[in-house]
Amino acid sequence: MCELKGMINMKFILPIIVVKDIQKSKKFYEEVLRQNITLDLGSNITFSDKFAIQADYADLVDADNFHISFNSNDHELYFEENDFDELLKHLEKFSDIHFIHKTKTYPWLQRVIRFYDPDFHIIEIGESMDTIFKNLYNLGMTIEEISEKTCHPIEYIKKSLDL
């Protein structure tokens, strides 16, 4: 067996998204997405769901010809919610949300909604698949039927349901 000397032991920590106005973004993530702050360094804020927002990024990077492009639609932050109906009611309170689309149901039965944060980063919130599995199981469906309906492997569903 080949031994690798000096191997790097790198660990991914969290994604950081660049924002224009840290206070506006902080308010959005706290109020709209109900995120809890674990560390607030002023121009960098980390949330408990393991992502951070960063203002003044171009200054931080300090590289020639460095340009930040907002509204590129090339990534999203994905969240799941157990009570999707309650989430929809909550989102109705915010008239300034720019929706990409309202509730959409996919073939695997998951409902999702997508919209933009204040800097036009895509936010997707999906109904928790664990909740979907539980609801179908409580309706009397077998694990095999749930697997067929949701396109998820049987072992994954069993683990989700603690079976």
Side-chain angles (χ1 to χ4, degrees):
M1 185 162 105
C2 182
E3 183 180 328
L4 298 176
K5 300 236 182 229
M7 203 164 119
I8 295 172
N9 189 15
M10 191 179 314
K11 178 182 173 187
F12 180 77
I13 302 300
L14 54 76
I16 299 172
I17 59 171
V18 177
V19 300
K20 294 177 190 172
D21 181 333
I22 196 81
Q23 293 305 317
K24 185 176 182 180
S25 292
K26 176 182 174 179
K27 182 177 179 180
F28 172 85
Y29 283 100
E30 283 185 300
E31 293 180 8
V32 177
L33 297 182
R34 300 179 185 152
Q35 295 300 294
N36 296 314
I37 294 173
T38 57
L39 180 62
D40 187 339
L41 300 173
S43 63
N44 179 285
I45 298 171
T46 302
F47 295 94
S48 60
D49 277 344
K50 304 297 184 202
F51 73 96
I53 56 177
Q54 174 74 49
D56 305 321
Y57 192 73
D59 294 337
L60 180 69
V61 172
D62 190 30
D64 291 339
N65 300 317
F66 188 81
H67 174 73
I68 297 168
S69 178
F70 290 96
N71 201 18
S72 60
N73 289 330
D74 65 353
H75 67 280
E76 71 176 23
L77 294 181
Y78 174 71
F79 299 87
E80 286 191 347
E81 172 61 43
N82 289 332
D83 191 341
F84 199 78
D85 294 322
E86 186 60 36
L87 166 74
L88 296 176
K89 289 178 194 171
H90 172 71
L91 293 177
E92 288 174 4
K93 300 175 193 172
F94 304 94
S95 61
D96 57 344
I97 293 178
H98 295 95
F99 287 94
I100 297 169
H101 63 76
K102 296 286 185 157
T103 304
K104 180 183 243 183
T105 304
Y106 285 96
W108 52 91
L109 304 181
Q110 184 184 38
R111 296 182 291 169
V112 303
I113 191 164
R114 288 184 181 89
F115 50 91
Y116 292 111
D117 79 354
D119 293 293
F120 289 89
H121 299 105
I122 300 170
I123 304 296
E124 175 183 346
I125 306 175
E127 182 174 20
S128 163
M129 288 307 298
D130 291 345
T131 299
I132 295 168
F133 301 152
K134 182 180 176 185
N135 290 342
L136 294 174
Y137 190 73
N138 289 340
L139 287 173
M141 290 181 76
T142 66
I143 302 301
E144 292 76 15
E145 290 169 327
I146 295 170
S147 174
E148 187 174 325
K149 270 280 199 220
T150 63
C151 307
H152 282 71
I154 289 172
E155 288 307 313
Y156 184 84
I157 295 166
K158 283 182 178 179
K159 185 176 179 182
S160 170
L161 295 173
D162 290 326
L163 298 177

